[in-house]
Amino acid sequence: MINIWEFEYGGKVKIVDKDGNEFFGDAQEITDESERSDEEKAEDGITILSEGKLIEFYQSDIQSIEKVN
């Protein structure tokens, strides 16, 4: 699995999800699996701000993530 922790508040990123969809945005916080409720997937996730919306990606849903300018 990809280590998303190095991207927390790391500026602009490009995320490609498992379906091949690309998302660009400003990396926000990481949600640790221990912070999740029982109804959520027990997994770390990263939130990005993309086109004015916050989008969260679970670690297992990310094919690749990279910093961009």
Side-chain angles (χ1 to χ4, degrees), residues 2-4 6 13 18 20 22 25 27 31-33 43 50-51 54-57 60-61 66 68:
I2 293 174
N3 178 11
I4 58 176
E6 65 187 85
V13 294
K18 288 177 17 177
E22 295 182 351
T31 303
D32 186 86
E33 70 177 81
E43 189 175 317
S50 178
E51 298 180 8
L54 293 173
I55 306 170
E56 183 179 20
F57 296 89
S60 64
D61 293 330
E66 63 183 274
V68 294

Side-chain angles (χ1 to χ4, degrees), residues 19-65:
D19 296 326
N21 300 309
E22 295 182 351
F23 299 86
F24 294 87
D26 292 312
Q28 303 293 304
E29 68 182 354
I30 302 287
T31 303
D32 186 86
E33 70 177 81
S34 66
E35 300 173 318
R36 302 255 181 222
S37 70
D38 292 339
E39 291 80 36
E40 294 178 285
K41 191 187 290 189
E43 189 175 317
D44 296 344
I46 186 168
T47 300
I48 66 169
L49 178 62
S50 178
E51 298 180 8
K53 297 178 184 175
L54 293 173
I55 306 170
E56 183 179 20
F57 296 89
Y58 285 108
Q59 200 169 13
S60 64
D61 293 330
I62 299 173
Q63 182 178 56
S64 68
I65 182 172

